[in-house]
Amino acid sequence: MTTTPMDCAAVHQELLANAVRLQPLLRESVLSGEAMRRLPDETIEALTDAGFFRLFKPQRFGGLDIGQRTMLELTEAIGTANASAAWLVGIAAGGTTVARHGSERAQAEVFSSPDSRIAGGLAPGTASRVDGGLVINGTWSYASGAPHADWASIHAVVTGPGAGGKESYLCLVPAAEVRLRDTWHTVGMRGTASQTFLADQVFVPDHRTIPFCRLLDASAAGSEPDAGPPLGTVAPLLLIGPLLGTGRAAADLVIEQAETKPLSNTFFARQSSSAGVQIQIAEAELKLRSARLHAFEIADALDAGEIGHGEAGYAQRARARAQCGYAAQQILEAIHILVNVHGAGSFADSDAMQQHWRDANIAARHAGLNSYVGYEIYGKSLVGVAERISPLI
């Protein structure tokens, strides 16, 4: 089954309408998510009912095979209300992107429910080869959404005589077969419940293992035909939507209150009357706009098939990696300016600004958004230095 442009447009509008409809509920769930360090079950159910865990899944399994622009707009809209919820929607879509590199049999199992949720980590555990598959051991931290996950997507390297660490696999494991350790005690993004998976002698059949090289280069032999755009470009882009939403929420808060909030220790009865405030808000808005332009340029290029796999597409992927890191920094700088405008009251527990500030500063420091790593990758590409400093590009 193929999706016509009209179908895509209808799905796009319905998903965005669902995001806007859920914004009041998502805002209400922020505090409970903070307290529990996970989203409430009813919030997860609402996201599920809205179709937000069907994103990127093949249509033959009941999924919504949407474009990157739709994904970005959707997580941005969710992120204006609840950064953690937007993060989980993006991370689940990333897990789906990984699973689509797997065998048809694995996909049939993982996507047997179109609303299945995938969480995981890329830090490698260890594996030993046995008849019919692998036995894996290890811990995988920062598994966002782990308490609500149906499947764990975890990395393991085969060890033992003759292995030499050359065999590396992404393993798809039912979440019920691994244990969960509550390790997510953070300043921000608490609702993501980015906890730790533990595996002790867990068997993974061959059909649910994906050679890691296939994730790095889907043009390699043996890749499934519908593996989609380069994972190394999609993965960091999925993290930008929640940040864009958080920055938008911070700007909206400051602009709305500037109409009535006095500027302390001045004769201005309203912040909006101050040229200094006007200039700062304008600068913050331009930084948010810059971040958005970079992010949507990447999304549109991915949707148009302009960023490819293999060596031929490396330069475009390198630039996109740098753009994601740059966009994250622009959002952080914008929020820094907005906090200054909002004043010391920003850090009151009752003020939403401190929530935006905390969430953005945690989210933007994900390893995939490390701006200096991205700049170095892009810079080396620009000047023709062949050295590679990151595997997932």
Side-chain angles (χ1 to χ4, degrees):
M1 176 181 175
T2 58
T3 302
T4 67
M6 184 174 294
D7 291 332
C8 289
V11 169
H12 177 96
Q13 293 301 323
E14 182 178 357
L15 287 170
L16 290 181
N18 284 342
V20 172
R21 174 178 58 82
L22 287 181
Q23 283 174 345
L25 171 66
L26 294 173
R27 289 191 183 96
E28 290 174 5
S29 69
V30 169
L31 292 180
S32 53
E34 284 267 299
M36 297 188 297
R37 290 176 296 108
R38 57 183 285 179
L39 290 187
D41 290 344
E42 57 266 32
T43 304
I44 293 292
E45 291 172 6
L47 295 172
T48 302
D49 292 342
F52 296 160
F53 294 116
R54 300 190 175 200
L55 309 176
F56 291 171
K57 290 177 181 172
Q59 291 185 1
R60 65 184 183 279
F61 296 116
L64 299 174
D65 203 0
I66 62 170
Q68 301 296 327
R69 171 173 275 271
T70 296
M71 188 73 212
L72 194 54
E73 288 191 32
L74 179 62
T75 50
E76 180 183 29
I78 298 171
T80 61
N82 189 314
S84 290
W87 189 267
L88 292 189
V89 170
I91 290 294
T96 294
T97 302
V98 167
R100 288 185 65 154
H101 288 76
S103 67
E104 182 66 23
R105 182 179 174 187
Q107 292 188 50
E109 293 176 358
V110 174
F111 302 145
S112 60
S113 167
D115 295 311
S116 60
R117 294 180 290 273
I118 306 170
L122 291 179
T126 61
S128 56
R129 185 160 292 287
V130 297
D131 287 344
L134 302 175
V135 170
I136 63 171
N137 296 277
T139 61
W140 294 267
S141 55
Y142 306 118
S144 298
H148 294 104
D150 302 299
W151 289 84
S153 172
I154 46 186
H155 183 199
V157 176
V158 177
T159 60
K166 295 180 181 179
E167 290 186 82
S168 181
Y169 295 91
L170 205 292
C171 302
L172 299 170
V173 184
E177 295 182 11
V178 294
R179 291 181 290 133
L180 196 60
R181 178 180 292 164
D182 184 358
T183 54
W184 190 241
H185 299 266
T186 58
V187 170
M189 298 297 282
R190 291 174 178 166
T192 65
S194 302
Q195 298 176 9
T196 298
F197 283 130
L198 297 89
D200 183 12
Q201 295 293 104
V202 172
F203 174 71
V204 185
D206 280 329
H207 74 271
R208 283 203 261 109
T209 65
I210 306 169
F212 205 71
C213 62
R214 188 182 299 174
L215 300 179
L216 304 182
D217 182 7
S219 64
S223 292
E224 292 300 306
D226 67 344
L231 178 62
T233 303
V234 172
L237 184 63
L238 289 171
L239 310 178
I240 295 296
L243 274 165
L244 286 173
T246 304
R248 182 70 264 149
D252 289 346
L253 175 65
V254 169
I255 291 170
E256 178 184 353
Q257 295 199 5
E259 285 294 316
T260 57
K261 186 177 182 180
L263 187 59
S264 298
N265 294 319
T266 74
F267 295 117
F268 289 115
R270 299 182 303 172
Q271 287 184 329
S272 59
S273 299
S274 165
V277 167
Q278 295 162 11
I279 291 168
Q280 289 179 87
I281 289 176
E283 184 180 3
E285 280 285 349
L286 288 173
K287 287 182 179 294
L288 293 176
R289 182 173 177 81
S290 177
R292 201 169 191 273
L293 289 170
H294 279 282
F296 278 92
E297 181 181 42
I298 300 168
D300 289 343
L302 285 168
D303 286 342
E306 296 171 359
I307 302 179
H309 299 275
E311 191 63 30
Y314 184 81
Q316 296 97 321
R317 298 197 306 274
R319 183 179 68 185
R321 175 68 176 267
Q323 285 179 286
C324 285
Y326 180 77
Q329 290 305 307
Q330 290 296 298
I331 295 166
L332 284 186
E333 290 177 18
I335 291 177
H336 178 77
I337 293 169
L338 293 165
V339 167
N340 287 342
V341 173
H342 203 54
S346 299
F347 299 100
D349 286 341
S350 59
D351 198 297
M353 183 59 81
Q354 53 82 24
Q355 182 79 52
H356 304 321
W357 181 80
R358 288 187 292 111
D359 286 344
N361 275 277
I362 292 290
R365 285 171 173 81
H366 187 283
L369 297 178
N370 186 313
S371 59
Y372 288 101
V373 169
Y375 299 161
E376 182 174 356
I377 290 168
Y378 185 35
K380 288 181 186 299
S381 173
L382 288 172
V383 300
V385 174
E387 180 187 7
R388 303 296 163 85
I389 66 170
S390 177
L392 198 59
I393 295 295

